[in-house]
């Protein structure tokens, strides 16, 4: 059982390029999340999806978009990358959204550098 | 605004006990989580508190006081493998997690 996988593991990207970070889970979780983690800051929510077919904006959504065509996949797209999007990106999932106590399971992360 | 505060870094000795504090101010409260994150890895779940009091799980315990907006994570019989960052997160009224910046715990032999 893989849990959550993310691809790529790391990427160096030129500013202005488009990039999609992939996330797949095999736990049949309803809710999925994208976070970025920057040194000295807590994890910040970019976008989330409570169930397949729905998405919502988190704390820092600008410059990012997501889709949730099915239960398993939740890709994150940077339409035109900028250096401030250099970060480590974590995808996470939980059994339900709004389920108090539902722990979130995290993927291994994607380290993205935008030059 | 919403705010989670925890110390940036702590140092402790192998075999000892350490307490990592977390204070929070959030819009609503639906529980507090502690996660462990080793360098270069993903966060992993440690504990969840929604009622006041102490929850014990092996060498790790977590305490919550909702009236004080305060929690702590207690690690006993420290081992070298406990060297990691410990993240405090509060689930707000929208059932979103608000994360602290994490406490880096350094264990010395």
């Amino acid at each position: 059982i893989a849990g959550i996988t993310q691809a790529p593991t790391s990427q160096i990207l030129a500013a202005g390029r488009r990039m999609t970070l992939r996330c797949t889970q095999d736990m049949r979780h309803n809710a999925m999340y994208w976070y970025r983690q920057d040194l000295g800051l807590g994890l910040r929510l970019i976008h989330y999806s409570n169930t397949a077919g729905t998405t919502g904006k988190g704390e820092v959504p600008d410059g990012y978009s997501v889709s949730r065509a099915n239960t398993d996949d939740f890709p994150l797209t940077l339409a035109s990358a900028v250096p401030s999007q250099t970060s480590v990106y974590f995808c996470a999932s939980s059994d339900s959204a709004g389920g108090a106590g539902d722990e979130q399971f995290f993927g291994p992360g994607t380290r993205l550098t935008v030059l | 605004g919403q705010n989670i505060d925890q110390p940036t870094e702590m140092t402790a000795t192998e075999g000892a006990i350490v307490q990592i504090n977390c204070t929070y101010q959030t819009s609503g409260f639906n529980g507090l989580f502690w996660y462990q994150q080793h360098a270069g890895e993903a966060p992993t779940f440690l504990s969840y508190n929604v009622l006041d009091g102490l929850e014990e799980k092996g060498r790790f315990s977590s305490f919550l006081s909702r009236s004080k907006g305060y929690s702590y994570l207690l690690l006993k019989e420290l081992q070298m493998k406990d060297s990691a960052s410990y993240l405090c997160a509060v689930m707000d009224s929208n059932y979103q997690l608000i994360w602290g910046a994490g406490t880096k715990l350094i264990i010395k032999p």
Side-chain angles (χ1 to χ4, degrees):
Chain A
I1 296 176
I4 301 182
T5 58
Q6 292 184 234
T9 302
S10 65
Q11 182 74 45
I12 299 175
L13 189 66
R17 297 296 296 269
R18 181 184 179 88
M19 175 75 191
T20 295
L21 308 185
R22 300 184 297 279
C23 174
T24 299
Q25 53 106 357
D26 64 2
M27 297 177 283
R28 308 305 293 173
H29 282 172
N30 286 304
M32 296 187 75
Y33 314 85
W34 273 106
Y35 292 96
R36 59 178 290 172
Q37 187 174 41
D38 302 290
L39 196 63
L41 299 176
L43 288 160
R44 291 183 291 169
L45 183 65
I46 304 171
H47 284 286
Y48 64 92
S49 170
N50 290 336
T51 189
T54 69
T55 62
K57 295 181 179 180
E59 178 187 356
V60 289
D62 293 345
Y64 306 95
S65 63
V66 292
S67 61
R68 185 88 184 278
N70 56 60
T71 297
D72 299 344
D73 300 301
F74 191 44
L76 176 74
T77 297
L78 289 68
S80 179
V82 295
S84 61
Q85 292 178 310
T86 294
S87 187
V88 179
Y89 291 85
F90 287 103
C91 179
S93 71
S94 62
D95 189 32
S96 65
D102 276 352
E103 64 179 279
Q104 292 185 10
F105 295 82
F106 284 79
T110 294
R111 184 175 297 273
L112 182 67
T113 302
V114 182
L115 301 177
Chain B
Q2 306 201 94
N3 197 49
I4 311 285
D5 286 318
Q6 46 181 134
T8 302
E9 187 175 296
M10 299 181 70
T11 302
T13 304
E14 190 177 16
I17 299 173
V18 71
Q19 178 176 310
I20 302 174
N21 295 325
C22 171
T23 58
Y24 63 89
Q25 288 179 306
T26 57
S27 56
F29 181 83
N30 282 299
L32 186 144
F33 293 78
W34 284 97
Y35 279 75
Q36 180 188 60
Q37 185 177 24
H38 285 100
E41 297 183 7
T44 55
F45 171 79
L46 286 178
S47 68
Y48 170 72
N49 295 68
V50 67
L51 300 176
D52 289 352
L54 188 68
E55 295 278 345
E56 297 186 78
K57 191 185 295 185
R59 294 188 299 113
F60 292 9
S61 303
S62 56
F63 171 84
L64 174 67
S65 169
R66 289 172 296 171
S67 62
K68 295 182 179 179
Y70 168 70
S71 173
Y72 68 73
L73 181 69
L74 192 71
L75 291 73
K76 303 176 185 177
E77 302 169 15
L78 286 169
Q79 302 175 9
M80 297 303 293
K81 67 178 183 179
D82 297 330
S83 291
S85 289
Y86 292 86
L87 313 181
C88 174
V90 172
M91 184 169 277
D92 69 8
S93 56
N94 294 317
Y95 293 94
Q96 302 293 352
L97 285 179
I98 309 300
W99 296 81
T103 298
K104 182 178 181 180
L105 179 62
I106 299 169
I107 310 295
K108 295 186 174 180

